[in-house]
Amino acid sequence: METSAVDSKKNRKQVERMTIENAQINRYLNHMGVKHSNSGYRFLISAIKLKAEHGHKIGYVEIYNNIAREYGISSYNRVERAIRYAIASFGATNKEFIARAVDDIIYGYKSQSP
């Protein structure tokens, strides 16, 4: 009985800390129609990867700060704005888009037009 509870807890932690490859994220963003020319495109890749790896343990401001440091940008606001601009046509907030992307990539998404 104890073993199944431990296994269940391990499985939840594995899902929370899922690693997503950049190629999977690129395919998803291409499928969704996000343009590569937007500066927010590369930030989206990093944000989706961070959210998938850390799950609910990392907040969005912390994600933007990490990306700003990674790319040598002085303010996390620039990262947030670039991502917002890249997904503007989807009518979703950054938080909604990133969370949906993580779920779709991990659990699969249907090949439909965006």
Side-chain angles (χ1 to χ4, degrees):
M1 202 69 150
E2 276 184 49
T3 306
S4 64
V6 171
D7 289 341
S8 177
K9 190 173 183 179
K10 280 183 183 179
N11 288 339
R12 272 188 263 129
K13 286 195 182 254
Q14 286 175 341
V15 169
E16 277 182 26
R17 303 187 87 179
M18 183 69 66
T19 301
I20 297 177
E21 300 297 324
N22 286 355
Q24 292 173 290
I25 300 169
N26 281 324
R27 278 193 299 274
Y28 179 79
L29 294 176
N30 287 336
H31 169 75
M32 294 301 291
V34 178
K35 296 183 182 188
H36 290 254
S37 58
N38 289 325
S39 61
Y41 185 88
R42 63 186 175 149
F43 300 152
L44 262 174
I45 292 172
S46 296
I48 292 167
K49 195 167 190 165
L50 281 169
K51 193 62 176 172
E53 289 172 357
H54 299 286
H56 296 291
K57 295 179 183 177
I58 189 168
Y60 287 90
V61 172
E62 189 176 350
I63 288 173
Y64 302 146
N65 278 324
N66 287 343
I67 294 169
R69 277 193 299 276
E70 178 183 341
Y71 288 97
I73 296 170
S74 59
S75 171
Y76 79 88
N77 290 326
R78 291 181 181 180
V79 173
E80 186 275 332
R81 187 179 326 121
I83 291 173
R84 186 170 11 104
Y85 181 76
I87 64 168
S89 65
F90 296 99
T93 64
N94 291 4
K95 181 179 179 179
E96 292 167 341
F97 188 90
I98 293 167
R100 173 76 184 266
V102 170
D103 286 347
D104 284 351
I105 293 168
I106 290 173
Y107 301 112
Y109 57 94
K110 296 178 182 173
S111 297
Q112 301 174 18
S113 26

